[in-house]
Amino acid sequence: MAIRVIKLPDVGEGVAEAEVVEWHVKVGDAVLEDQVLAAVMTDKATVEIPSPVAGTVVALGAEVGAMLAVGAELVRLEVAGAASEAEVAATPRQAAASASAATAPAPARATASATAATTTTTPKPDSATRATATAARPSPARAADATAMPAAPLGPPRPAGEKPLASPAVRKRAREAGVDLRQVRGSGPAGRITHDDLDAFLRGGPALPGVTVRAPNTAVETVKVIGLRRRIAHKMAEAKRRAAHFAYVEEVDVTALEALRAALNAEPRQDGLRLTLMPFLMQAMVKAAHDFPQMNALFDDEAETVELHGGVHIGIATQTPAGLMVPVVRHCEARGLWDCAAEVLRLAQAAREGRATREELTGSTITITSLGALGGIVSTPVLNRPEVAIVGVNKQMVRPVWQGGQFVPRTMMNLSSSFDHRVIDGYVAAQFVQRLKALLEAPATLFIEA
């Protein structure tokens, strides 16, 4: 038998390293040629690495979440044949699209192919193999503890309502563990509860008949932050570290807007499309950005320059099974109400199904974020750096509003927006939001050409 080392291939132009986000095999598994070994993520794509040969997995080159350099050992296989020098090529496969963060998604697809080289060495256990073997073999102390664990002592039953007998030390331990001693059977004289009785109960021993056992839950699960979640964490932290966030909240009366939306949705369409609040807000944002071009901009804090964009490319923060992504509706200034609605629906479905492309997940100049019915009263959105403005939509609520000398029911909603105070003054931010408010409260003005 020979050992073949499968190395991390060149998975894209300019890519020097990749993160291991998923193993499809484990030590001891028999793999076939072209069977997927692992999935790795770069800042450009998530790529699957197939095996170029058949064999048995001897060692894995890294844990999930680890960064590997191109050319580093990925998997070590034991294959049939004598030990000799050989090379086997493998082509990485495109995996499901992933984004790098809620505010700056990574591309979803790789366009470059790559080759995984293998080398032949003499079989010898490496550190990963030894670590795996050690983990699989329980230590003598643990084995002895597992076999020597006594069953919960039964002891004599305690009459109903009788106070349990226990020493002060046992009572203190029970209080700290949140245990009602009436649930514990005592094995000592006259049914006295000992430390061993309490230990056995905490291990899940039998309880008194008719008494509900509520043993404390001491489980602790450690979850490694990897892949998209790690990229979201890094991007969010970077946005908060670099940008000077300024929040501004204003309430909006959307009663007329909701009436218009209901009227438009009452007319059946062949495509089945229905309007949400989002396309109306997008139309309002286009008009407001025309009046306040500094909002539709990107700030390069390294070069200390601001790029003012003529095209309004709106990012729509979208929750997906993989995490938060921001697909981009491009050139909203050239789109109508129904066109915006259709594009938002298409991009949201593509993001949730992992089909969104790099172009669809990058290039926004301003972002809208909404939690729908879970929007709460107020939120403080994190900027989609290097953008300088983000508008958050909170939930709608019908409540009494003083109007014309009396209280009337109105549908009210808050807009919670954040701005980069390094380039956007608070007064200008307030003017921008007030412009959005005026447009949404008089929705007919959305369709009047300037």
Side-chain angles (χ1 to χ4, degrees), residues 316-338:
I316 308 295
T318 305
Q319 188 66 37
T320 75
L324 194 60
M325 299 185 183
V326 187
V328 182
V329 181
R330 296 182 180 276
H331 289 292
C332 294
E333 77 282 358
R335 296 179 184 269
L337 187 69
W338 289 97

Side-chain angles (χ1 to χ4, degrees), residues 31-124:
V31 299
L32 302 175
E33 183 177 349
D34 205 35
Q35 180 178 336
V36 175
L37 299 171
V40 299
M41 177 184 284
T42 71
D43 60 350
K44 292 184 171 24
T46 300
V47 180
E48 292 178 339
I49 309 298
S51 175
V53 294
T56 302
V57 178
V58 175
L60 305 179
E63 296 180 351
V64 169
M67 302 297 295
L68 282 180
V70 170
E73 179 178 324
L74 183 68
V75 178
R76 185 169 294 195
L77 298 180
E78 185 179 57
V79 299
S84 61
E85 293 292 330
E87 288 189 358
V88 182
T91 304
R93 297 174 181 169
Q94 170 81 35
S98 295
S100 64
T103 58
R109 297 191 179 180
T111 55
S113 63
T115 301
T118 64
T119 59
T120 304
T121 63
T122 55
K124 63 178 181 178

Side-chain angles (χ1 to χ4, degrees), residues 102 278 281 285 314-319 324-326 366-372 375 379-383 390-394 414-418:
M278 189 65 69
L281 182 55
M285 191 171 284
I314 300 180
I316 308 295
T318 305
Q319 188 66 37
L324 194 60
M325 299 185 183
V326 187
I366 191 168
T367 294
I368 299 174
T369 179
S370 172
L371 289 173
S379 55
T380 53
V382 177
L383 284 166
I390 182 171
V391 176
V393 180
N394 298 117
N414 286 349
L415 290 180
S416 298
S417 305
S418 294

Side-chain angles (χ1 to χ4, degrees), residues 195-282:
H195 286 286
D196 289 341
D197 298 333
L198 183 57
D199 289 339
F201 177 83
L202 293 174
R203 288 195 297 268
L208 290 173
V211 178
T212 302
V213 177
R214 289 187 177 88
N217 187 342
T218 58
V220 177
E221 181 182 5
T222 301
V223 180
K224 194 160 188 175
V225 179
I226 63 170
L228 176 61
R229 193 77 258 165
R230 173 193 274 180
R231 295 179 186 275
I232 289 175
H234 288 177
K235 292 295 183 179
M236 288 291 183
E238 191 71 0
K240 293 295 286 186
R241 185 178 72 85
R242 286 180 174 263
H245 282 67
F246 165 70
Y248 182 85
V249 182
E250 178 60 287
E251 65 175 2
V252 181
D253 186 339
V254 292
T255 307
L257 177 59
E258 283 300 293
L260 174 60
R261 187 171 73 87
L264 293 173
N265 282 334
E267 296 292 330
R269 290 173 56 93
Q270 288 185 344
D271 57 9
L273 189 63
R274 295 181 63 81
L275 293 170
T276 64
L277 174 72
M278 189 65 69
F280 291 96
L281 182 55
M282 294 167 72

